[in-house]
Amino acid sequence: MRKLLVPLLTTLGLLAGAVTANAAPSSGVNDFSCAPSAQHPEPVVLVHGLGANGPVNFATLAPTLASNGYCVFYLTYGVGILGPTVGGLRPMEDSAAELGAFVDEVQTATRAAKVDIVGHSEGSTVPAYYLKFLGGAAKVAHFVGFGANYAGTSLDGLATLATLLHLGPALTGVGCAACTEFLPGSAFLTKLNAGGVAVPGPTYTNIVSKYDTVVTPYTSGVFAAPNATNIVIQDGCPVDFTGHIGQAVDPNVASLVLHALDPASPVRCQPFFDAGA
């Protein structure tokens, strides 16, 4: 496992660093002077996936939400020894606490009673823990996870991602505690799923793709709860062939996210092909 995960995360870190250098936050994103509108009173906090960071993971979705009238914020959490552009490595319990502190910062700046959270991949798992165990349920109105992952993923899924990204030679000493926690049956996932992932209060929307070969099985991203809606992208949009990574830039996912945050926003479908996992 170590030999697989180290090159995977190292390559993602190098990619993140290269993109971040040229990706200043778009207008309306991470603007702590932003005042939420009456139409969209909850600012949106975006939570990235494993090995990624806020600016890279949400280079498309953040400005899309901002252009639709939302105050939008993201953080990079769980940074480890690979540097400030590679997040999501630390234990997910610690990352959930980081997220909680960031939500408090956003609420203080915007004077919002609650926020909405939208997360990709690990960015669904970490918020789920925050909502259930760290008091987040009282501070979050809508929680949307795409490429969601609550029951873990197999090593085959990580191997697929490594192959598709053409990763380089293995290194040692990456220190990815979250990777171990994502193995099915881990103590972290057992605790998260005991009695159900969802808690009363927020609405939960789980968006998954049947072509996801990183979160395997893709049904790891859905659960039954009275306040949860589970969406398989291809059930409503059969011409969408996104895998896991591509969901971050998939216009159909963006449409589903906007609808989950505001039911008045129409759900659209257009052909989308993802060469990634």
Side-chain angles (χ1 to χ4, degrees):
M1 177 179 177
R2 191 184 195 87
K3 291 181 179 179
L4 169 63
L5 292 173
V6 171
L8 165 62
L9 294 169
T10 301
T11 299
L12 286 174
L14 294 173
L15 175 61
V19 176
T20 302
N22 297 310
S26 300
S27 176
V29 179
N30 270 13
D31 176 5
F32 283 85
S33 67
C34 186
S37 66
Q39 184 179 4
H40 301 307
E42 291 91 22
V44 180
V45 175
L46 301 174
V47 189
H48 63 76
L50 177 65
N53 59 51
V56 171
N57 208 144
F58 299 111
T60 297
L61 185 58
T64 297
L65 288 165
S67 68
N68 278 270
Y70 291 91
C71 294
V72 183
F73 302 87
Y74 50 57
L75 75 163
T76 298
Y77 66 89
V79 170
I81 64 173
L82 294 181
T85 62
V86 185
L89 305 184
R90 293 178 54 78
M92 285 190 274
E93 301 93 326
D94 295 349
S95 293
E98 282 188 63
L99 172 61
F102 187 74
V103 167
D104 290 346
E105 184 180 357
V106 169
Q107 282 186 288
T108 298
T110 61
R111 300 182 180 181
K114 293 186 177 184
V115 304
D116 293 334
I117 290 180
V118 177
H120 182 196
S121 192
E122 186 184 356
S124 64
T125 320
V126 166
Y129 188 93
Y130 164 62
L131 265 62
K132 186 171 182 178
F133 297 111
L134 300 182
K139 302 177 181 181
V140 176
H142 306 289
F143 169 44
V144 185
F146 61 91
N149 187 358
Y150 307 109
T153 184
S154 69
L155 286 176
D156 287 344
L158 293 174
T160 298
L161 182 60
T163 299
L164 290 171
L165 291 178
H166 305 290
L167 300 174
L171 303 176
T172 58
V174 67
C176 180
C179 299
T180 301
E181 290 180 323
F182 267 125
L183 294 177
S186 71
F188 175 86
L189 291 176
T190 298
K191 179 180 179 180
L192 179 63
N193 284 275
V197 174
V199 292
T203 63
Y204 291 74
T205 303
N206 305 314
I207 301 170
V208 298
S209 171
K210 69 179 183 180
Y211 298 116
D212 193 325
T213 56
V214 173
V215 176
T216 53
Y218 72 88
T219 50
S220 289
V222 300
F223 56 76
N227 52 337
T229 300
N230 297 310
I231 300 172
V232 179
I233 297 168
Q234 290 75 27
D235 286 350
C237 191
V239 292
D240 189 310
F241 298 93
T242 189
H244 185 77
I245 299 172
Q247 291 181 51
V249 296
D250 185 344
N252 301 314
V253 170
S255 173
L256 291 168
V257 169
L258 286 166
H259 182 74
L261 298 179
D262 180 2
S265 180
V267 175
R268 306 184 189 280
C269 173
Q270 64 186 72
F272 183 80
F273 299 88
D274 172 18

